[in-house]
Amino acid sequence: MTELEDLPPLREVIARHGLAARKSLGQNFLLDLNLTGRIARAAGDLSAGSVIEIGPGPGGLTRSLLQAGARQVLAVEKDSRCLEALEDTRSASKGRLELLNGDALEVPIDTLGQVPRKIVANLPYNIATPLLISWLHAIHRSPDCVECMVLMFQKEVAQRITASPGNKAYGRLAILTQWLCEAELLFDIAPGAFTPPPKVTSSVVRLIPRARPRADCRLEALEQVTAAAFGQRRKMLRQSLKGLFPQAAEVLGELGLQETARAEELEIEDFCALARRLSNS
Ligand code: SAM
């Protein structure tokens, strides 16, 4: 039986299985095993529970996760050509790699594998944000369902996830993510590291779900408040929040917030206070 170290180079796997990259599936393959190793190591100890990998492609990151000692890797891939190409890796994993043919957007994360569950993936860029949002909803329902996520996004999206107040990238994605998770931008990967190279730089982000959200409020109300505030981000809040609170200036005053402030100046806790006020109005 082939050992992981003896698997053919990824370029050979791609050529043998005719894995011409499909743009519609966000296919930019990472073939540098030093880089995939770095991503796998960023997820820490993998010897318990399951690692969920979305979109294994030809399997570079999958190999690194297995080599890093993952107890179980459950890889969800939409492209059946990739699943055929991964068969040798599956045999070499000696039962540790399970392949699932499907659309990651349709598989509830808390039904995959076992806890402690880690999600490690070079995400297909066209669905990266909706995937993250669906996982955040799952974490909100059950904070223990995911222990850690190490995810690659387009750099611009990674900046929107990790931004702080005052930064132009700060908005709904930063607030929802950091309300529920500790977020850290780890490192960038240049387009040339991928086959084919994407147009933009990529960044790896680590997200660790908090035991409790940063402040109490209903998620739906937080989404409503941030949508209103950042939908018109250059306007003053007393104006942009009028659709939600007819007396927006008064509400802001009650909460100790400047009515002339703009959305990007508020802390996550301030948005939670607005969300609580909305739920109680
Ligand atoms: N992990 C591989 C790597 O690092 O080389 C491939 C990453 S590539 C950016 C994204 C992968 O996600 C592709 O293999 C693609 O086929 C797969 N994919 C795209 N849409 C998907 C979906 N809805 N569900 C599951 N996998 C999907």
Side-chain angles (χ1 to χ4, degrees):
M1 195 188 275
T2 316
E3 298 292 326
L4 284 169
E5 302 72 47
D6 302 328
L7 286 168
L10 290 160
R11 282 191 195 284
E12 208 176 299
V13 173
I14 289 176
R16 195 186 296 164
H17 294 271
L19 285 185
R22 292 192 176 144
K23 215 176 163 184
S24 61
L25 288 171
Q27 292 183 338
N28 301 101
F29 302 130
L30 194 49
L31 308 184
D32 180 338
L33 294 175
N34 290 315
L35 288 173
T36 55
R38 217 174 145 194
I39 298 171
R41 284 194 300 278
D45 181 7
L46 306 179
S47 63
S50 305
V51 179
I52 313 301
E53 187 190 358
I54 306 302
L61 180 56
T62 321
R63 288 184 193 187
S64 292
L65 290 165
L66 293 165
Q67 274 164 342
R71 191 194 71 88
Q72 183 197 34
V73 178
L74 226 154
V76 183
E77 174 58 65
K78 195 169 176 183
D79 185 346
S80 49
R81 298 175 312 161
C82 296
L83 293 165
E84 279 170 38
L86 284 162
E87 263 314 307
D88 289 347
T89 311
R90 198 172 63 83
S91 334
S93 79
K94 304 197 169 63
R96 292 188 294 139
L97 173 61
E98 198 174 312
L99 302 171
L100 238 159
N101 192 189
D103 183 341
L105 280 171
E106 289 174 6
V107 190
I109 196 69
D110 51 359
T111 62
L112 294 174
Q114 293 175 19
V115 291
R117 187 181 286 114
K118 297 188 176 191
I119 311 175
V120 184
N122 169 13
L123 291 175
Y125 289 154
N126 42 349
I127 57 164
T129 307
L131 275 174
L132 174 61
I133 289 176
S134 76
W135 297 334
L136 291 171
H137 278 245
I139 289 165
H140 181 247
R141 287 190 298 274
S142 161
D144 293 336
C145 81
V146 176
E147 186 185 64
C148 164
M149 297 182 260
V150 176
L151 305 172
M152 179 140 55
F153 296 91
Q154 296 179 41
K155 183 171 183 167
E156 177 261 331
V157 177
Q159 286 170 330
R160 288 203 283 121
I161 291 169
T162 54
S164 306
N167 188 298
K168 69 179 184 342
Y170 182 64
R172 299 167 63 182
L173 198 54
I175 291 167
L176 186 59
T177 308
Q178 296 174 42
W179 179 51
L180 298 171
C181 302
E182 300 267 2
E184 195 183 351
L185 208 153
L186 296 182
F187 54 91
D188 291 346
I189 301 189
F194 297 86
T195 304
K199 289 202 175 70
V200 293
T201 299
S202 303
S203 304
V204 178
V205 169
R206 180 167 48 212
L207 304 173
I208 310 281
R210 302 174 192 278
R212 292 182 50 74
R214 258 173 72 166
D216 282 339
C217 71
R218 285 181 46 242
L219 185 148
E220 293 74 16
L222 184 61
E223 285 184 323
Q224 274 179 290
V225 167
T226 52
F230 287 98
Q232 303 177 298
R233 64 184 296 144
R234 274 186 295 274
K235 288 209 170 143
M236 287 187 252
L237 286 166
R238 69 172 177 221
Q239 191 62 32
S240 56
L241 295 179
K242 263 202 167 130
L244 290 181
F245 303 103
Q247 310 293 335
E250 268 176 37
V251 170
L252 289 161
E254 269 171 39
L255 299 177
L257 300 170
Q258 297 285 341
E259 56 173 276
T260 54
R262 290 178 168 76
E264 68 183 48
E265 295 168 43
L266 262 55
E267 296 286 341
I268 293 174
E269 287 74 6
D270 298 330
F271 282 105
C272 293
L274 281 163
R276 285 196 302 275
R277 181 69 171 67
L278 183 65
S279 301
N280 296 332
S281 59

